[in-house]
Amino acid sequence: MAEAPAHTLPAPASRGWPVIAPQHIGLMFSAATMIAILVAGYLWSQAPDYRVLYGNLADRDGGSVVTALQQMNIPYKFADGGALMVPSAQIHETRLRLAAQGLPKAGPLGFELMETQKFGVSQFAEQINYQRALEGELARTIQTLASVQAARVHLALSKPSAFMREQPKASASVLLNLAPGRTLDSTQVSAVIHLVSNSVPELNAKNVSIVDQNGNLLSTNGDNNGRPSLDPNQLKYRQSLEQNYIARVESILAPLIGSANVRAQVTAELDFTESEHAEEIHKPNQDTAAAVIRSQQLSESSSARGSASGGVPGALSNQPPANATAAVTAPAAAGATAAAVTPADTRKDSTVNYEVDKTIRHTRQELGRIKRLSVAVVVNHRKTTSKSGKVNYTPLAEAEITQITNLVKEVMAFDKERGDTVSVANSAFNIPDKEVLPEVPLWKQPDVIESAKMIGKNLLIATILLFLVLRVMRPMLKSFANAVSAPPQQRLVQETGESGSAPQLESFEQNVDRAKKIARDDPKAVANVVKEWVGGNGK
């Protein structure tokens, strides 16, 4: 009996985990790579900008500062020159937190030297430590100025002695290390001098010398002749006064001839001598009738002289009276003789006090008084334009010059007795052509360079992302989508790599229906197929 033809049936689909094709593995690996690249690009774009925290950090302070940064979880790195750098967003906070811990400690020592005094230290050592502490505190204070990078202060203090009549004066020397490109003006130098002189007892401002790192003497306490120089405040006041007068002159003439057609200069001679005058004037009282009586005292006394003994007791007053004698004259004249013998003493005293005229006057001269003003004004010729468009310049009339002179005198409060002078000149201005400076190329401007760096950085990231999306992810996603949407037989062909000329398998439902039909029509053939399956599994 001939065997029935064997019918091939598809292998039953597996019911376990789905089989991962090699294409899927490559797709997942590519996706992971792209995600890693995206994360790396994002982290690179968000990398902090590092700035210098300390430029010249001493070795003994470097370990302490690095340890403190590690404890504060602040990232740091070292530049090529050895500078310690931290993220720019945290630089100010980091400096404040390190300063709270007393770091770095390599700066000048202050009064903390007095905290470590040992018991039994000598007076000389104690005085030296005090001087060092005072110098360190002054140096710290001066270093807070924006233009000062470092400072050293040396004090020469005098020691009081009872054996010297004149004690030596204290002096100070200050060495300033200015920041690159920074300078100190005269006002700031004067401020440093007064700061040092007021911080040290018995230290005069004239005995303070200030030198910069280049050896330039910044303090000028006097000229070669020993005369005091002009105070910076006085010089500033003089310049401010002159500029005020210049602005007033130009502002009043600008509406008449234009602000570009007038130039003015003012020279002010000021008297900064400070003096105080006091005088007391008394007027003589010649006219007694007009005089005012302050007080008057009148004293009058009288006494009668008799024959009784008087006077000072003594030998002459104790002698017996003389012998009596007869009167030569007639008895009628006895009364007159008696009156003449006993006359009366009269005394009058009169004292009159008059008021004395008194005038007390205190005069104090004004500091910075104007002694003399000199004003010079130059006026441009009048500009006229003809009908044809030609520009002409004509001198001003004499009346206009007189008018301008009178206006200037009124503005400056002209005083002829003071010696003020005003000079007005009318001349054509020789205005030079404006110098055309070459413009800096756009690609050399710092702002443009910085913006270009940021834009280039972002464009590079965008280009990498676009390349990954268009050239890597898009083809992979398209291939994956096609593989998912294909029928099972087509996916099987794609996964197994069969060619298009191979017989295409039918759908699963059609195969099931075909198997049922074969089982009904030819059970023997189905039995042979099952027998072959069982025999194959048993091998």
Side-chain angles (χ1 to χ4, degrees):
M1 180 177 180
E3 294 182 358
H7 297 276
T8 60
L9 295 177
S14 60
R15 300 297 181 180
W17 292 97
V19 178
I20 300 176
Q23 293 85 346
H24 295 174
I25 296 177
L27 179 63
M28 290 186 294
F29 178 77
S30 301
T33 303
M34 190 189 70
I35 293 174
I37 294 174
L38 292 177
V39 173
Y42 175 77
L43 295 178
W44 177 61
S45 62
Q46 298 296 325
D49 182 20
Y50 282 82
R51 292 181 56 189
V52 177
L53 178 65
Y54 296 113
N56 298 324
L57 190 63
D59 295 338
R60 55 183 177 181
D61 290 336
S64 302
V65 172
V66 169
T67 302
L69 292 178
Q70 292 175 352
Q71 294 176 355
M72 293 185 293
N73 295 326
I74 296 178
Y76 64 90
K77 65 179 182 179
F78 290 94
D80 296 337
L84 182 61
M85 305 178 68
V86 297
S88 58
Q90 301 178 350
I91 185 168
H92 299 292
E93 180 184 359
T94 304
R95 287 179 178 174
L96 293 176
R97 295 176 67 178
L98 291 176
Q101 301 179 16
L103 296 175
K105 299 180 180 179
L109 298 177
F111 281 110
E112 60 268 17
L113 281 173
M114 309 302 294
E115 299 176 358
T116 58
Q117 291 287 345
K118 297 181 180 179
F119 181 75
V121 65
S122 63
Q123 184 179 3
F124 176 77
E126 185 178 11
Q127 183 66 24
I128 292 298
N129 290 335
Y130 171 75
Q131 182 172 342
R132 289 179 56 196
L134 186 58
E135 292 174 350
E137 292 293 337
L138 289 174
R140 287 179 177 177
T141 305
I142 297 174
Q143 287 178 5
T144 57
L145 298 178
S147 301
V148 179
Q149 191 173 8
R152 290 288 302 272
V153 179
H154 302 280
L155 298 177
L157 303 179
S158 60
K159 185 178 181 181
S161 176
F163 301 98
M164 299 180 63
R165 179 176 301 177
E166 295 183 359
Q167 301 294 335
K169 302 296 183 181
S171 60
S173 300
V174 182
L175 176 62
L176 300 181
N177 187 6
L178 302 179
R182 306 296 293 272
T183 57
L184 293 179
D185 56 16
S186 58
T187 304
Q188 293 174 322
V189 173
S190 178
V192 174
I193 292 175
H194 284 80
L195 172 67
V196 176
S197 62
N198 294 331
S199 301
V200 180
E202 303 297 333
L203 178 59
N204 195 339
K206 297 181 180 180
N207 297 329
V208 179
S209 300
I210 300 180
V211 183
D212 63 1
Q213 71 271 21
N214 297 323
N216 299 323
L217 181 63
L218 303 180
S219 59
T220 54
N221 299 326
D223 55 11
N224 297 330
N225 297 327
R227 295 175 298 179
S229 59
L230 188 63
D231 188 84
N233 295 329
Q234 298 176 359
L235 182 60
K236 184 178 180 180
Y237 172 74
R238 176 181 174 180
Q239 295 175 351
S240 175
L241 183 64
E242 293 176 348
Q243 292 298 326
N244 186 21
Y245 276 107
I246 292 174
R248 293 169 62 181
V249 171
E250 292 182 350
S251 63
I252 198 171
L253 298 180
L256 299 178
I257 56 179
S259 59
N261 296 322
V262 60
R263 298 290 186 272
Q265 289 295 328
V266 177
T267 302
E269 295 182 8
L270 305 179
D271 184 12
F272 292 101
T273 303
E274 185 177 3
S275 61
E276 184 175 355
H277 179 70
E279 60 180 0
E280 185 175 352
I281 302 174
H282 301 274
K283 292 183 179 180
N285 296 326
Q286 301 294 339
D287 188 4
T288 57
V292 179
I293 299 176
R294 175 188 295 179
S295 63
Q296 184 177 5
Q297 182 180 3
L298 180 61
S299 175
E300 184 177 356
S301 62
S302 62
S303 61
R305 185 182 300 171
S307 59
S309 300
V312 181
L316 297 178
S317 61
N318 292 331
Q319 292 181 0
N323 297 327
T325 58
V328 179
T329 60
T337 304
V341 173
T342 59
D345 295 334
T346 303
R347 182 178 178 182
K348 293 182 179 180
D349 295 329
S350 178
T351 304
V352 180
N353 295 324
Y354 295 94
E355 288 289 348
V356 179
D357 290 342
K358 182 179 181 180
T359 302
I360 300 176
R361 182 181 303 168
H362 293 272
T363 304
R364 185 173 183 178
Q365 294 184 359
E366 182 183 1
L367 186 64
R369 181 175 56 89
I370 299 177
K371 297 175 58 179
R372 185 171 178 268
L373 286 178
S374 300
V375 181
V377 182
V378 180
V379 181
N380 192 14
H381 285 175
R382 189 178 301 277
K383 179 181 179 181
T384 57
T385 305
S386 61
K387 295 182 179 180
S388 60
K390 185 178 180 181
V391 178
N392 299 321
Y393 292 91
T394 58
L396 299 180
E398 189 67 26
E400 294 177 332
I401 298 297
T402 304
Q403 181 185 10
I404 292 174
T405 303
N406 294 333
L407 288 176
V408 173
K409 288 183 178 180
E410 292 296 331
V411 169
M412 61 174 290
F414 181 81
D415 189 356
K416 185 176 181 180
E417 296 180 357
R418 192 171 56 186
D420 296 347
T421 59
V422 176
S423 177
V424 179
N426 180 220
S427 178
F429 283 7
N430 185 12
I431 301 176
D433 297 335
K434 293 184 179 180
E435 183 181 359
V436 180
L437 298 177
E439 295 184 359
V440 180
L442 187 64
W443 56 276
K444 286 187 178 182
Q445 297 180 2
D447 297 338
V448 177
I449 294 175
E450 189 67 23
S451 301
K453 289 181 179 180
M454 296 298 298
I455 295 174
K457 186 177 181 179
N458 296 329
L459 287 178
L460 180 60
I461 296 175
T463 303
I464 295 175
L465 293 178
L466 186 63
F467 175 79
L468 293 176
V469 170
L470 297 179
R471 306 296 296 178
V472 178
M473 289 296 299
R474 186 178 179 181
M476 289 184 177
L477 293 176
K478 186 176 180 180
S479 176
F480 182 75
N482 294 334
V484 171
S485 61
Q489 294 81 3
Q490 185 177 358
R491 294 200 304 269
L492 180 60
V493 171
Q494 294 175 357
E495 293 174 1
T496 56
E498 295 180 357
S499 61
S501 60
Q504 184 176 3
L505 298 178
E506 297 178 356
S507 62
F508 180 75
E509 290 79 6
Q510 292 177 354
N511 293 333
V512 173
D513 294 339
R514 184 179 178 182
K516 290 180 180 179
K517 184 178 179 181
I518 294 174
R520 288 193 302 268
D521 296 342
D522 195 356
K524 187 176 181 179
V526 174
N528 293 332
V529 172
V530 173
K531 183 178 179 181
E532 291 179 1
W533 287 353
V534 173
N537 294 333
K539 293 180 180 179

